[in-house]
Amino acid sequence: MLQRPRRNRKSEVIRQMVRETHLSASNLIFPLFIIEGKRQKTEIASMPGIYRYSIDNLLREVESCLNLGLNSFDLFPNIDDSLKDKYATESYKEESLYLRAIKEVKQNFPEACVITDVAMDPYSSDGHDGIVENGHILNDETLEVLGKMALAHAQHGADIIAPSDMMDGRVGYIREVLDENNFTNVSIMSYSAKYASAFYGPFRDALNSAPKFGDKKTYQMDPANQTEALIEAELDEAEGADFLMVKPALSYLDVIKVIKDNTNLPVAAYNVSGEYAMIKAAVQNGWLNEQKAITEVLTSIRRAGATAILTYHAKEVLVNKWL
Ligand code: PBG
């Protein structure tokens, strides 16, 4: 045999020499859940090890992450049902939980990168990402709400705005609102290819944000489609996105790869709540080795072409020095 690929695997030194994919803290973004109150830290039943924090504890959590070299955070609010309405007005009210959280984090830790989620669902009495009328999700009317929300996030210090709603035209609309208000430096990380996935279940438990009727299939993508993801990616790029995101990650590694091959923008991937829950459940049953499973998953997402990974594993891989 002239070729023996095993020669390049014969020692740890050589394996490291030929390794194609590397993971580091700088690639990781840690999603954090926020609740109202003081000294609150409540675990999410379907996401062992992940908590909802009141703002005081959120600041402690951010500080401990920064000390580990984990510098990027994506914030999500759990809003009391009494504050939800059809138009998600709580999302841009001065002094709302979310806006206070953004401001506090940036005031206390200006060096942290704060990514904010733009979508109506945590604040919507319908539990949808858009305005609902007669059972339909309105697109263009929703853009106005998203624009107000994005502007409020920018005014409170957001570094990157991440629209996760999947309305058509929202990246361009948000870019225009930001620019008109002199927030030309605030970035947009677009959830470009976001699929109507079963893997968001635990997240909706965390935020109590599940749709009150129907599903999200008229705006989130059909899991059967890959080419369509390129239409979404091209539109977002043309509309001014700074990052293109694929979500979920694991069942969509091919989508990460095809978008990566067709753009010069950095690609992000969201290793979602259900993907986290599956690993934790198997580990709790003694069916998987935690460290090996998690590092393999994160490496595969990087290998597929994601520069940045949003993952609930971000902190534990650093605490345990698994990278
Ligand atoms: C809502 C939103 C969702 C997630 C992030 N933003 C859920 C949904 O679309 O229903 C899911 C994240 C996760 O599952 O970890 N706009």
Side-chain angles (χ1 to χ4, degrees):
M1 275 184 270
L2 218 53
Q3 289 276 3
R4 283 186 183 267
R6 287 185 55 190
R7 279 196 288 263
N8 282 350
R9 297 177 208 138
K10 73 182 167 196
S11 72
E12 184 55 29
V13 173
I14 294 178
R15 286 194 294 275
Q16 283 186 20
M17 187 191 297
V18 300
R19 186 157 294 151
E20 299 173 37
T21 307
H22 298 275
L23 256 181
S24 81
S26 51
N27 302 120
L28 304 176
I29 300 169
F30 194 29
L32 289 167
F33 298 114
I34 313 158
I35 44 169
E36 198 56 83
K38 285 210 162 63
R39 289 182 294 281
Q40 298 292 313
K41 180 180 175 186
T42 59
E43 193 169 33
I44 295 141
S46 48
M47 302 178 75
I50 297 297
Y51 302 84
R52 307 175 190 89
Y53 297 98
S54 53
I55 292 178
D56 49 354
N57 278 337
L58 173 74
L59 296 176
R60 286 189 193 99
E61 180 64 7
V62 166
E63 184 169 30
S64 90
C65 291
L66 292 171
N67 289 334
L68 292 163
L70 177 54
N71 301 315
S72 298
F73 307 91
D74 193 1
L75 306 180
F76 295 96
N78 176 303
I79 302 292
D80 194 83
D81 272 338
S82 66
L83 298 172
K84 299 183 183 182
D85 62 25
K86 277 191 86 57
Y87 302 99
T89 53
E90 179 68 12
S91 66
Y92 48 85
K93 271 190 196 139
E94 197 62 36
E95 287 312 297
S96 75
L97 170 66
Y98 196 61
L99 298 180
R100 271 184 281 132
I102 299 168
K103 194 160 112 190
E104 289 275 339
V105 172
K106 283 306 289 187
Q107 270 177 0
N108 285 278
F109 310 105
E111 72 278 24
C113 174
V114 172
I115 302 171
T116 61
D117 192 67
V118 168
M120 287 178 58
D121 55 330
Y123 318 90
S124 154
S125 46
D126 294 306
H128 275 285
D129 296 36
I131 298 174
V132 180
E133 198 178 275
N134 301 324
H136 294 285
I137 314 299
L138 305 182
N139 194 88
D140 300 14
E141 293 78 354
T142 297
L143 297 185
E144 289 179 33
V145 180
L146 301 177
K148 287 184 193 169
M149 211 186 289
L151 179 58
H153 295 180
Q155 286 165 337
H156 287 76
D159 296 287
I160 302 178
I161 306 276
S164 69
D165 56 286
M166 288 302 277
M167 295 302 115
D168 291 334
R170 91 278 209 211
V171 172
Y173 188 90
I174 290 171
R175 186 71 269 160
E176 212 175 287
V177 170
L178 292 175
D179 288 356
E180 277 169 1
N181 288 279
N182 292 321
F183 290 108
T184 52
N185 258 335
V186 173
S187 320
I188 297 178
M189 177 183 281
S190 178
Y191 287 67
S192 300
K194 176 171 177 179
Y195 287 84
S197 171
F199 293 99
Y200 307 150
F203 174 96
R204 293 177 189 171
D205 296 343
L207 297 192
N208 177 29
S209 65
K212 296 290 191 297
F213 71 89
D215 52 42
K216 298 192 174 185
K217 289 181 185 167
T218 68
Y219 45 107
Q220 298 181 348
M221 285 179 58
D222 182 343
N225 293 355
Q226 186 197 68
T227 313
E228 193 185 345
L230 288 175
I231 300 178
E232 290 284 1
E234 281 164 20
L235 283 170
D236 288 354
E237 183 159 351
E239 290 174 31
D242 302 286
F243 299 80
L244 305 177
M245 194 204 297
V246 175
K247 175 184 177 182
L250 291 184
S251 294
Y252 301 89
L253 294 175
D254 59 316
V255 179
I256 297 173
K257 168 76 175 149
V258 76
I259 289 186
K260 172 71 182 169
D261 288 345
N262 283 282
T263 185
N264 293 323
L265 291 177
V267 175
Y270 201 138
N271 177 213
V272 299
S273 59
E275 298 173 334
Y276 176 88
M278 283 196 297
I279 291 201
K280 290 293 165 178
V283 167
Q284 284 183 348
N285 277 294
W287 296 338
L288 283 179
N289 175 298
E290 188 168 32
Q291 170 176 2
K292 288 180 182 162
I294 292 170
T295 50
E296 185 173 333
V297 158
L298 297 178
T299 301
S300 74
I301 299 170
R302 288 271 295 140
R303 190 194 64 232
T307 301
I309 308 175
L310 297 101
T311 179
Y312 302 98
H313 298 297
K315 188 180 183 193
E316 64 182 345
V317 297
L318 297 172
V319 168
N320 295 306
K321 300 192 167 55
W322 285 342
L323 296 188

